Amino acid sequence: MITEQLAGLLSAAVTSACQSGELSIPADTTYDIKLETPPDKQFGDFSSNLALVLKKATGIKDSRVIAEAICRYLPTDQKLIMRTEVAGPGFINLFLNPEWLYNCLQTIRERDTAYGILDTSTGERVLIEFVSANPTGPISVVNGRAAALGDVLGNLLTSQGCEVAREFYINDALNSLQLNVFSRTVQARYLQQLGYALLMPDGRLEPGAVSNSSASGTISFPEKGYPGEYVTDIAKAIVQDIGDTYAKPTLQIFSPTPTVTQAEVDETDAYFRKVTLGQMIQAQRNALEAFGVQYDCWFMESSLYEAGSVEATIKTLSERGYTYTKDGALWLKSTEFGDTEDRVLVRSNEKATYIAADAAYHVNKYQRGFTKLIDILGADHHGYVARLQASVAALGYDRTQLEIVITQMVSLLRDGEAVIGGKRKGIVLELKEDLIDEIGKDAARFYFLLNSYETPTTVDVELARRQSNENPVYYVQYAHARLCNILRKASEVGILPPVNNVDYYKLLTHPRELDLLRRLADYPGEVTLAAQRYAPHRLTRFAIDLAGLLNLFYENCRVLPTRDGDVSQELTLARIALVDGARIVLRNLLTLLGISAPDRMDRLDSNTAPAAER
RNA sequence: GCCUCCGUAGCUCAGUGGAUAGAGCAACCGCCUUCUAAGCGGUAGGCCGCAGGUUCGAGCCCUGCCGGGGGCACCA
């Protein structure tokens, strides 16, 4: 990397300046050499604030003096550094031989799909757990943020040499009250499909579905039942599958005076739970796959109970002395690990709490050999972080290996009004039906990857759908399609991209060409930075920026020969190489974001564009 | 009350302690005989919430205040 090379030269220059006595710094001084891209080209290719940083160590008041001393010991033999300049309060501006950019283009075309990817393994094994929505509802638009973040973060860490696994945690444990209520709701809808009317909590009567059975009567919709339409869909599927097989016992369960035996109730409940859970998980999986997210593992909470892990974890905590009994419940001394209060592990009714299962789950993650655990949680789980970390620490695991990423809220706007409520109120905007099916996977992903997860954001669903054409994803994809089009057109007239040859590249001297090359050179560093900061949106912004530079190049630098013959054959070849390099970078970039890079996009006729409808 | 995130252009948001604070959308004016106009050029739009502090330098760091979101269960 060029920046490392330059940092090495700067470091050597400081050493030389010290040896010659021009500078003196204490032997134990440590300093980072930062190389930045100046805001304006007139300040050179790179600039460093090294002299400003060394001010204290040297005791010299004027940083410009330090900067000048360093510059005297930089090799300005024209091979790499053309000239140096001291500017402002003491910046060292470096002007490089453009050859470095040509070498970079060569690297891009040689590396191709591997450009921007580190070959060396870090040995780090990362587990990213994200979304993990309760199996009582579909994947919602709000889940899209975590889904996009987790997936792309996985790509980014993989590109930096980590081994990454993606995981979805299914809250299917038997003590989940919500799941019971949910299953009951399905049962009510099942009976409705068979012809029974439902008495809703608000007193309304919902008629039974038309059915050829003679079933009739009224049953009450379960208290706090789930109102969403997807519940009815599951019921319909069950009817299709088994007909009225479970009609009798289910009806009895809803009767004020049930005559059914407990064994029959259990059997019926078990059936509905199983089918309901299976359907929900499948629906969630489908929605996430439509979003381009593939998990390596769907981990069931119930498996922890079945394996006795929850019990074992509680036992371990007790043996390590971090539990006590109070009010008939077993408590975790989480305050000893920084939590604001102690937490209940086992309730007085002897059922384990969620934190107990979660502690066991994280033990399981550690035991599988992962060296870094990343949990992506929504802002509403913020208060949960301390106790989770405390439980892990109490179990003797390295808390620093557990990183909890909190994504800020996504609020929804529909018809200009905030949509509040979620599953319990029946207003669920589904990621697949309400967004992906409307605007496509690419636009949906791009939308969520545009902003930092640390900022609360608002999704106006109508706007997101209607203005799909104004989504910047098309700007980026169009730029890629244009590049492909040039290459396609070129090959049609028998011009093929030239073999890697820096002699050709030297013809690329137009400012727009140099701007573009410079940005292509920045790419690997941007990927690294985005990975280090868990900031996929940096790449999204980079993509928009790069597309802008490509358009400028396109407007100003003709690639293929014209009738007037104002583009020489050599220049055409050089520019085709540049187009090829840009195509590679843009494609790699979109691939990291999980967004397709189309070879062509049909030109929109302004008369038929959605914009004309408004 | 405590914890936490946010406050930057009309809207949605970027912004590595650094030089003249940016993009997309929306608005206005132009540009298709030419590699795709999903494009390009131009105009307009800003006490970076407020007040102190730290320093050569603060949109960024610290403190306080104001405003908004979220969280503070033997729910998950």
Side-chain angles (χ1 to χ4, degrees):
Chain A
M1 288 284 291
I2 187 84
T3 49
E4 284 146 21
Q5 208 178 332
L6 293 172
L9 292 175
L10 283 168
S11 170
V14 171
T15 309
S16 305
C18 288
Q19 279 166 359
S20 74
E22 284 193 49
L23 295 176
S24 75
I25 56 174
D28 59 343
T29 309
T30 56
Y31 54 91
D32 276 341
I33 297 183
K34 270 205 323 192
L35 283 151
E36 306 185 313
T37 304
D40 194 297
K41 268 178 294 182
Q42 65 172 352
F43 298 123
D45 295 291
F46 289 96
S47 77
S48 175
N49 62 351
L50 180 58
L52 296 154
V53 171
L54 288 178
K55 200 172 149 172
K56 272 214 180 92
T58 56
I60 299 174
K61 279 219 173 106
D62 186 356
S63 293
R64 296 182 62 100
V65 173
I66 305 169
E68 276 155 16
I70 295 170
C71 285
R72 274 195 286 280
Y73 291 93
L74 282 171
T76 48
D77 54 7
Q78 314 290 301
K79 263 187 187 160
L80 181 61
I81 300 173
M82 299 288 279
R83 66 189 175 88
T84 63
E85 178 186 276
V86 176
F91 291 109
I92 299 169
N93 292 341
L94 303 171
F95 295 78
L96 306 188
N97 184 332
E99 185 118 354
W100 78 276
L101 287 172
Y102 305 139
N103 291 334
C104 192
L105 179 56
Q106 183 161 4
T107 305
I108 293 168
R109 298 187 64 216
E110 277 166 7
R111 298 269 297 166
D112 201 347
T113 54
Y115 182 64
I117 289 171
L118 300 185
D119 295 324
T120 49
S121 166
T122 60
E124 196 95 70
R125 291 191 61 208
V126 186
L127 181 70
I128 309 180
E129 184 215 324
F130 58 106
V131 182
S132 299
N134 279 343
T136 53
I139 298 297
S140 72
V141 170
V142 171
N143 292 132
R145 177 174 244 187
L149 173 65
D151 191 45
V152 177
L153 190 53
N155 291 343
L156 284 173
L157 294 176
T158 303
S159 81
Q160 299 301 298
C162 298
E163 189 188 319
V164 173
R166 295 169 175 79
E167 189 156 295
F168 189 111
Y169 183 58
I170 304 166
N171 297 121
D172 69 329
L174 296 173
N175 64 354
S176 163
L177 287 172
Q178 291 179 7
L179 204 54
N180 284 333
V181 175
F182 183 63
S183 182
R184 266 298 137 76
T185 314
V186 174
Q187 289 173 315
R189 292 294 185 191
Y190 167 73
L191 291 173
Q192 186 184 24
Q193 286 303 306
L194 294 175
Y196 294 90
L198 291 187
L199 179 62
M200 304 307 286
D202 59 6
R204 235 166 3 95
L205 202 62
E206 265 193 32
V210 179
S211 164
N212 53 11
S213 80
S214 58
S216 66
T218 301
I219 54 163
S220 293
F221 191 79
E223 204 177 326
K224 291 186 181 171
Y226 289 75
E229 200 160 314
Y230 60 94
V231 186
T232 307
D233 293 340
I234 296 173
K236 282 180 184 165
I238 291 175
V239 171
Q240 281 223 322
D241 204 25
I242 61 157
D244 61 359
T245 306
Y246 278 103
K248 266 190 190 166
T250 306
L251 193 57
Q252 280 296 314
I253 291 171
F254 280 86
S255 160
T257 53
T259 56
V260 72
T261 66
Q262 190 60 43
E264 279 175 294
V265 172
D266 288 348
E267 189 204 325
T268 310
D269 279 349
Y271 170 79
F272 277 95
R273 282 184 69 102
K274 186 168 151 261
V275 174
T276 298
L277 192 63
Q279 292 254 349
M280 281 319 305
I281 293 170
Q282 194 53 50
Q284 291 186 335
R285 194 189 292 239
N286 290 345
L288 287 163
E289 277 179 13
F291 198 52
V293 181
Q294 293 266 0
Y295 284 92
D296 298 288
C297 176
W298 289 70
F299 193 98
M300 300 183 92
E301 183 188 5
S302 57
S303 71
L304 293 167
Y305 285 93
E306 281 159 18
S309 307
V310 180
E311 216 174 324
T313 301
I314 294 168
K315 193 166 161 238
T316 305
L317 284 169
S318 295
E319 283 167 1
R320 291 176 64 89
Y322 294 119
T323 62
Y324 61 93
T325 307
K326 192 181 85 179
D327 303 332
L330 186 70
W331 295 70
L332 172 69
K333 294 181 187 171
S334 49
T335 45
E336 291 196 14
F337 299 93
D339 199 0
T340 50
E341 51 190 293
D342 289 342
R343 308 290 172 176
V344 170
L345 276 175
V346 183
R347 284 170 267 193
S348 48
N349 67 6
E350 294 186 357
K351 282 189 176 170
T353 60
Y354 186 75
I355 183 68
D358 236 4
Y361 178 38
H362 283 82
V363 166
N364 181 289
K365 288 181 180 180
Y366 280 108
Q367 284 174 346
R368 276 185 275 161
F370 292 104
T371 56
K372 183 179 279 185
L373 309 177
I374 300 177
D375 290 7
I376 298 178
L377 301 176
D380 53 340
H381 285 72
H382 163 76
Y384 193 70
V385 174
R387 80 190 73 165
L388 186 59
Q389 288 182 323
S391 68
V392 163
L395 284 158
Y397 290 94
D398 182 355
R399 172 159 46 170
T400 61
Q401 290 184 323
L402 172 62
E403 286 193 53
I404 299 178
V405 174
I406 300 289
T407 66
Q408 289 304 311
M409 297 294 288
V410 177
S411 41
L412 297 175
L413 217 64
R414 194 165 62 172
D415 302 328
E417 278 183 37
V419 177
I420 319 163
K423 289 162 206 160
R424 289 306 184 99
K425 290 193 178 151
I427 310 164
V428 181
L429 291 173
E430 299 191 26
L431 180 63
K432 186 170 182 300
E433 277 75 2
D434 296 313
L435 199 62
I436 300 172
D437 290 352
E438 299 280 341
I439 66 174
K441 178 200 80 168
D442 290 338
R445 280 183 81 109
F446 206 86
Y447 194 93
F448 283 112
L449 292 170
L450 208 45
N451 302 326
S452 159
Y453 66 84
E454 292 171 294
T455 310
T457 189
T458 306
V459 178
D460 184 326
V461 181
E462 258 74 33
L463 208 66
R465 290 184 198 167
R466 184 156 40 82
Q467 299 197 336
S468 66
N469 206 44
E470 284 143 23
N471 188 315
V473 72
Y474 299 102
Y475 183 76
V476 175
Q477 289 182 321
Y478 183 68
H480 181 265
R482 267 185 159 170
L483 296 176
C484 291
N485 198 52
I486 293 174
L487 295 175
R488 191 164 46 235
K489 277 268 160 54
S491 82
E492 278 168 15
V493 295
I495 308 172
L496 294 172
V499 289
N500 250 336
N501 185 341
V502 174
D503 290 339
Y504 277 121
Y505 303 162
K506 283 178 181 163
L507 298 172
L508 302 170
T509 54
H510 192 283
R512 299 289 87 76
E513 293 169 333
L514 295 174
D515 288 347
L516 183 53
L517 278 168
R518 175 55 205 262
R519 210 74 188 114
L520 298 180
D522 287 339
Y523 174 68
E526 277 295 324
V527 178
T528 302
L529 208 57
Q532 282 169 350
R533 299 189 183 192
Y534 295 176
H537 75 278
R538 292 188 68 99
L539 279 192
T540 317
R541 302 276 166 175
F542 186 89
I544 295 170
D545 195 48
L546 183 57
L549 292 176
L550 282 165
N551 286 327
L552 285 175
F553 162 76
Y554 182 89
E555 295 292 327
N556 291 286
C557 303
R558 174 82 197 184
V559 177
L560 300 178
T562 60
R563 276 192 297 259
D564 308 337
D566 51 1
V567 183
S568 74
Q569 213 174 354
E570 289 76 16
L571 187 55
T572 288
L573 286 173
R575 285 180 171 168
I576 283 181
L578 176 57
V579 166
D580 191 42
R583 177 191 62 83
I584 289 167
V585 172
L586 202 52
R587 185 248 287 134
N588 291 358
L589 185 44
L590 287 169
T591 303
L592 275 179
L593 297 175
I595 292 167
S596 56
D599 289 347
R600 64 190 326 147
M601 286 169 79
D602 291 328
R603 177 177 164 171
L604 275 187
D605 189 327
S606 57
N607 294 323
T608 59
E613 292 169 13
R614 291 196 299 278

